[in-house]
């Protein structure tokens, strides 16, 4: 015998056959309880389950083709299974060809089935342990068969989940991936421990773990090897999933995360299991696992099914732990958790539950000292209202948080976590979304607490806070102002939209609710609140949050549904007539261009199951709301955000603002998510000013401008790449800019002029979309176009010569010239023109300016006028006076009309070596305008 091997000859006279019989008797009793705990229709599923995996017949549920692996080890159909099969198909031949290969090793029923906690709503988790040698294709067929059986069971009212287990891989710690029903890498030993004390063998090989005495658990593998060597057991008679030698310290934190995740929807069950994990960690390193208590009891001859009930054992362990810590609050909560999980209303007459469950729970609550009033309160929890639900949810999540803090501290002190980074990220995001409090997030009371919070009558009151700002309060029932005194409101919110959202998503109010409203400064009334609730119902039907499962948490949160509420409690048209004004746009209303959009509330439902509300005010608020909407789906990612539906107030004219914003959002979405690869600078008129929206990387940014001049200065700035300007449909409509900007195309310099009596308005769009504008005296089109044509030709040649590391600077492909006209309808039209360089009676001479950097950090100018040189070095501050005198001498007429520069040269020092690759035509145009203004100031009047 090898050193360290157990001496079976001196094994305290253990009768392995008797031990196996004890486990089987207990298993049979639990299976009977599980079967009796479901309805007659559902029992067919349990009776027929092993047969469905033993044979694969087209007439039976779950048929998945002839190649599906079938055959349950050692299984022989009993009369219940045969009778169930005959009810489905009378002519069914169930004879199965004899085969030595039975790939289904075992079928185990996990969870609360067969325990005191089994209820009519309990689902069945089935571990299907299969031959480790099964290849991928047969496994896929087996999974398909399991899905088919689940679908059939669901038709009969029973929820069944199958988990296909490879025992060899499981024994090595290779668990299933994280899913809604699988804890993935979050836990292993604790999962196995729960399996051993709660699993019910339906058919196939029993666990080999039964055959290892408790005192030999620490040397499980050696003991099993010796059992095989001495042929006490045969490999095909048992399934080996490993022993319970001890729980690695690293596992506690991952298991805690998993239970917290399950606690989002099932907080009572999760809180109890989390307390169990905490109690284990509190005993570390000498952890007394319930699975080992269970095994020792069976080996000692214990046969009482109640004493070995997994849930009762769990509660007893948790009670001992919390009593030792003198934690009365969580002790009471743990008992409530079990009571709610069992779901037997002891304050009412016996129903369809099994008598043993009722008797056992009656004994327990008597021992807890609960009175009838306590039972009535717990049994009436579906009728709990907001304050009671909020208090219960607070206690639950405080308990979950306390356990989490304990186990997190334990992980830091002892080990860390075995959970994989991807599983940790996924669970962390889900927990963050469920439990994290943050500004704008709507608290969901209905999450995890089964209660009907609906109110038939509600009272709302608008009142000022201590700072004089308006807030809204919500009360149960129909109450007068006097009756509100001294009553604690259900909820206080800064806005009525936020209050309505809280009511809707917690299912407190709907269209049936009759409201009483006591308004303050606003004119909001009961009719308006009912209309608001109806709009929430239309936007977010039933108030249900669509949980996309754990897959939704694999990536960042996305907006699933969105609504924008505008001026809900304001009537901005109360003293205004939108029909009587020439400017009815609510963003630039009337002769004073007033922005009537003053209150905005953006409501978002995310893929992480959160409801978020953001409040905005005025012009800046509107731009912030647009940025918030865009940032959830940056245009560069190829995703389009869901449609943002806009809702206005209830006043007939109030919807004008909503309609206007609906148009704006539609246009913004088309601009940023259209077919083009370039996102624009989107400009909208807001009151007397403007707002501009653009993407900076993946982040939307906005700017506000007090007037058109500030906007034009912004649009004239150089751009690192082509970045066109797009105007809102109502912006600058009294200028030619909408037509001009619509004609913009990348890589071209486009010159537009609009003659207006003695002046011309000039606009230039350069190769990157920067907009240059200037008003200049106008004599004739030929002179104007000609001098700009010569300037552009010279500048483009210079830009072609500016090379850096042998790379071109992306110079414009060419120049286009347009004349702007206005037709009889007032519509601006663009007419393409070609420049003319010679006309009889006109004299042209060149005026070239070279700009260089001075030693003092400024600039020095050298000007060449018809070949003659003038410089700052020679003339100093009188440079422009000297050049103007020479220009007038060259002019035959001697007239003092404006001077036009035909060429500008910028040295590398002026541009800067780092900026060489970003230089563009707008740089030269801005220098041209600045220098020409100095020339013209020096021109005699």
């Amino acid at each position: 015998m090898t050193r360290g091997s157990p001496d079976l000859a001196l094994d305290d006279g253990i009768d392995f056959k008797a031990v196996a019989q004890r486990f089987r008797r207990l298993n049979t009793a639990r299976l009977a309880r599980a079967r009796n705990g479901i309805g007659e229709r559902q029992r067919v599923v349990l009776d027929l389950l092993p047969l469905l995996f033993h044979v694969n017949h087209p007439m039976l549920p779950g048929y998945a083709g002839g190649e599906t692996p079938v055959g349950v080890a050692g299984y022989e159909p009993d009369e219940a299974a045969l009778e169930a099969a005959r009810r489905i198909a009378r002519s069914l031949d169930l004879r199965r060809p004899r085969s030595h290969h039975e790939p289904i090793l075992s079928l185990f029923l996990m969870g609360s089935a067969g325990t005191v906690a089994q209820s009519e709503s309990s689902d069945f988790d089935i571990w299907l342990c299969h031959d480790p040698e099964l290849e991928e294709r047969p496994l896929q067929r087996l999974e398909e068969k399991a899905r088919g059986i689940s679908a059939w069971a669901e038709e009969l009212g029973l929820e069944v989940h199958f988990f296909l287990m490879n025992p060899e891989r499981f024994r090595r710690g290779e668990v299933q991936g994280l899913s809604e029903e699988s804890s993935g890498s979050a836990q292993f030993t604790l999962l196995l421990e729960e399996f051993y004390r709660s699993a019910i063998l339906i058919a196939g090989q029993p666990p080999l773990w039964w055959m290892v005495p408790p005192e030999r658990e620490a040397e499980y593998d050696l003991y099993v090897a010796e059992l095989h060597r001495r042929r006490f057991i045969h490999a095909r008679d048992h399934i080996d999933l490993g022993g319970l030698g001890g729980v690695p310290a690293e596992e506690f934190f991952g298991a805690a995360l998993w239970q917290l995740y399950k606690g989002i929807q099932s907080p009572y069950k999760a809180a109890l299991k989390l307390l169990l994990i905490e109690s284990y960690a509190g005993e570390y390193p000498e952890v007394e696992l319930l699975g080992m208590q269970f095994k020792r009891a069976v080996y000692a001859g214990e046969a009482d099914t109640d004493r070995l009930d997994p849930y009762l054992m769990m509660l007893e362990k948790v009670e001992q732990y919390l009593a030792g810590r003198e934690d009365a609050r969580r002790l009471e909560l743990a008992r409530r958790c079990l009571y709610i999980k069992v779901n037997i209303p002891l304050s009412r007459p016996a129903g369809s539950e099994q008598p043993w469950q009722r008797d056992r729970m009656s004994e327990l609550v008597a021992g807890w000292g609960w009175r009838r009033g306590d039972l009535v309160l717990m049994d009436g929890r579906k009728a709990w209202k907001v304050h009671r639900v909020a208090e219960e949810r607070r206690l639950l999540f405080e308990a979950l948080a306390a356990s989490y803090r304990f186990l997190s501290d334990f992980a830091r002190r002892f080990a860390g976590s075995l959970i994989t980074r991807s599983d940790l990220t996924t669970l962390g995001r889900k927990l963050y979304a469920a439990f994290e409090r943050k500004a704008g997030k709507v608290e969901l009371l209905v999450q995890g607490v089964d209660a009907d919070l609906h109110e038939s009558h509600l009272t709302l009151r608008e009142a000022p806070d201590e700072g004089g700002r308006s807030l809204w309060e919500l009360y149960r029932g129909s109450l007068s102002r006097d009756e509100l005194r001294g009553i604690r409101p259900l909820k206080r919110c800064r806005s009525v939209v936020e209050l309505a959202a809280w009511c809707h998503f917690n299912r407190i109010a709907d269209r049936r609710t009759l409201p009483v409203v006591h308004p303050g400064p606003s004119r909001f009334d009961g009719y308006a609140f009912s209309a608001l609730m109806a709009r929430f119902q239309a936007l977010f039907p039933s108030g249900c949050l669509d949980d996309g499962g754990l897959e939704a948490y694999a990536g960042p949160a996305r907006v699933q549904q969105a609504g924008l509420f505008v001026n809900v409690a304001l009537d901005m048209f109360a003293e205004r007539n939108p029909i009587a004004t020439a400017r009815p746009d609510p963003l630039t209303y009337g002769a004073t261009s007033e922005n009537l959009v003053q209150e905005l509330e953006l409501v978002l439902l995310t893929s992480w199951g959160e409801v978020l509300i953001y409040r905005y005010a005025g012009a800046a608020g509107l731009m912030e709301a647009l940025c918030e909407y865009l940032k959830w789906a940056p245009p560069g990612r190829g995703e389009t955000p869901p449609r943002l539906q806009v809702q206005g107030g209830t006043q007939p004219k109030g919807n004008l603002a909503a309609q206007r914003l609906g148009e704006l959002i539609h246009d913004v979405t088309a601009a940023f998510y259209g077919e083009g690869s370039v996102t624009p600078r989107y400009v909208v008129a807001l009151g007397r000013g403007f707002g501009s929206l653009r993407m900076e990387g993946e982040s939307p940014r906005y700017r506000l401008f007090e007037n058109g001049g500030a906007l034009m200065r912004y649009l004239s700035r150089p751009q690192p790449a082509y970045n066109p300007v797009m105007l809102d449909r109502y912006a600058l409509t009294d200028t030619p800019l909408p037509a001009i900007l619509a004609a913009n195309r990348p890589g071209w310099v486009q010159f537009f002029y609009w003659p207006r009596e003695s002046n011309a308005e000039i606009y230039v769009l350069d190769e990157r979309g920067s907009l240059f504008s200037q008003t200049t005296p106008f004599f004739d089109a030929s002179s104007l176009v000609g001098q700009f044509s010569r300037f552009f030709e010279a500048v483009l040649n210079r830009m072609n010569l500016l090379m850096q590391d042998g790379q071109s600077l992306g110079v414009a492909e060419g120049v286009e010239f347009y004349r702007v006209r206005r037709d009889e309808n007032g519509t601006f039209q663009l007419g393409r023109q070609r420049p003319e360089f010679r006309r009889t009676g006109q004299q042209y001479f060149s005026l070239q300016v070279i700009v260089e950097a001075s030693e003092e950090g400024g600039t020095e100018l050298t000007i060449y006028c018809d070949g003659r040189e003038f410089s700052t070095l020679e003339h100093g501050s009188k440079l422009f006076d000297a050049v103007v005198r020479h220009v007038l001498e060259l002019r035959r007429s001697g007239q003092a009309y404006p001077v036009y520069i035909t060429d500008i040269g910028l040295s590398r020092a002026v541009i800067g070596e780092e900026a060489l690759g970003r230089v563009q035509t707008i740089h030269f145009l801005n220098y041209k305008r600045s220098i020409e203004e100095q020339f013209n100031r020096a021109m005699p009047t």
Side-chain angles (χ1 to χ4, degrees), residues 531-593:
L532 181 58
M533 294 306 303
R535 289 176 179 178
F536 265 101
Q537 177 64 33
L539 285 175
F540 313 108
S542 302
C544 294
L545 300 181
D546 183 17
D547 188 353
L550 280 173
E551 295 82 3
Y553 300 87
R558 299 186 307 276
V559 173
Q560 301 283 70
Q561 293 173 273
L564 183 65
F565 293 82
V566 184
N567 293 349
V568 168
L570 295 178
D571 185 4
M572 298 300 295
F573 290 98
E575 299 178 359
R576 302 172 178 91
N577 185 357
I579 307 301
T581 177
R583 191 186 292 272
D585 177 13
L587 296 180
T588 57
Y589 182 83
T592 58
S593 295

Side-chain angles (χ1 to χ4, degrees), residues 516-530:
V516 172
V517 177
H518 301 297
S522 75
R523 302 186 181 186
F524 199 78
D525 56 19
Y527 168 78
F529 183 75
S530 295

Side-chain angles (χ1 to χ4, degrees), residues 325-336:
R325 291 175 63 91
E326 298 182 350
D327 192 339
R329 174 174 291 190
R330 288 201 294 166
L331 175 60
E332 182 64 18
L333 178 64
R335 290 166 173 169
R336 290 210 308 276

Side-chain angles (χ1 to χ4, degrees), residues 151-409:
W152 166 70
E154 187 174 3
E155 293 175 0
L156 297 176
L158 187 63
E159 186 177 348
V160 179
H161 306 280
F162 286 96
F163 301 89
L164 271 61
M165 309 291 291
N166 180 327
E168 288 186 1
R169 292 183 62 184
F170 183 86
R171 200 164 55 247
R172 294 195 299 266
E174 300 176 28
V175 295
Q176 288 188 347
L178 185 67
S179 70
E180 291 296 312
E181 300 298 332
S182 171
S183 57
S185 64
Q187 58 182 352
F188 173 73
T189 306
L190 291 173
L191 176 64
L192 183 61
E193 181 271 324
E194 182 183 358
F195 170 81
Y196 280 144
R197 63 181 158 85
S198 68
I200 300 173
L201 177 64
I202 300 175
Q205 300 170 350
L208 181 56
W209 181 77
W210 288 358
M211 298 295 99
V212 178
E215 59 271 16
R216 300 290 197 176
E217 196 75 27
E219 46 189 357
Y220 179 91
D221 291 335
L222 287 173
Y223 194 90
V224 167
E226 192 65 13
L227 283 176
H228 285 305
R229 189 181 73 81
R230 298 197 177 192
R231 299 187 180 181
F232 275 69
I233 59 173
H234 195 283
R236 65 171 176 267
D237 294 334
H238 297 83
I239 187 168
D240 187 6
L241 297 176
L244 295 177
V247 183
E250 297 86 351
E251 189 172 320
F252 287 106
F253 185 64
L257 279 180
W258 173 249
Q259 290 305 330
L260 278 171
Y261 161 67
K262 299 299 286 184
I264 295 170
Q265 296 301 330
S266 302
Y268 292 104
K269 178 180 176 181
L272 193 55
K273 289 192 173 184
L274 196 57
L275 285 168
L276 176 64
I277 296 170
E278 182 183 334
S279 72
Y280 284 158
E283 296 172 344
Y284 185 83
E286 301 298 327
V287 181
E288 178 68 13
L289 296 174
L290 288 182
M292 292 307 302
Q293 289 185 20
F294 169 74
K295 179 186 273 193
R296 276 192 288 272
V298 174
Y299 267 77
E302 177 63 67
D304 188 338
T305 312
D306 290 347
R307 293 187 60 82
L308 297 177
D309 186 289
Y311 269 85
L312 297 178
M313 292 178 68
M314 176 166 53
L315 178 66
E316 184 178 1
K317 175 87 173 181
V318 168
E319 284 181 323
Q320 291 173 355
Y321 168 72
L322 294 175
R325 291 175 63 91
E326 298 182 350
D327 192 339
R329 174 174 291 190
R330 288 201 294 166
L331 175 60
E332 182 64 18
L333 178 64
R335 290 166 173 169
R336 290 210 308 276
C337 286
L338 181 68
Y339 187 86
I340 290 173
K341 173 62 180 160
V342 173
N343 197 27
I344 294 177
L346 297 182
S347 66
R348 304 170 195 164
S352 60
E353 66 269 3
Q354 299 185 66
W356 72 270
Q357 287 177 296
R358 190 177 184 89
D359 293 343
R360 192 69 186 95
M361 288 305 301
S362 296
E363 294 172 6
L364 282 175
V365 298
W368 299 342
W370 282 17
R371 300 179 179 178
R372 177 168 175 77
D374 299 317
L375 297 177
V376 170
L377 176 65
M378 296 304 298
D379 294 342
R381 59 189 177 276
K382 285 186 179 295
W384 285 354
K385 292 305 177 184
V386 172
H387 289 314
R388 184 67 186 86
V389 169
E391 176 65 13
E392 185 74 3
R393 189 174 184 272
R394 183 184 64 80
L395 292 173
L396 276 168
F397 290 147
E398 280 182 0
L400 293 172
S403 293
Y404 175 78
R405 287 193 297 270
F406 178 91
L407 292 164
S408 179
D409 180 65

Side-chain angles (χ1 to χ4, degrees), residues 683-750:
V683 175
V684 58
L686 298 170
R688 297 181 182 181
F690 297 87
S692 175
L693 184 66
R694 70 179 297 174
M695 297 299 299
E696 294 181 7
E698 288 197 344
S699 300
R701 296 285 186 266
Y702 78 92
R703 293 174 183 266
L704 291 178
F705 308 98
E706 291 183 1
N707 50 49
L711 172 67
M712 295 303 290
R713 287 191 293 274
Y714 166 73
L715 297 181
S716 69
R717 291 182 180 180
Q719 303 296 316
Y722 177 66
N723 191 209
V725 177
M726 184 174 292
L727 296 178
D728 177 61
R729 63 177 72 183
Y730 296 108
L732 299 170
T733 53
D734 54 350
T735 76
L737 279 174
I740 289 171
L741 293 171
N744 190 202
R745 56 180 181 143
W748 285 82
V749 175
Q750 297 169 297

Side-chain angles (χ1 to χ4, degrees), residues 676-689:
S677 59
V678 179
T679 58
R681 287 167 286 167
Y682 193 93
V683 175
V684 58
L686 298 170
R688 297 181 182 181

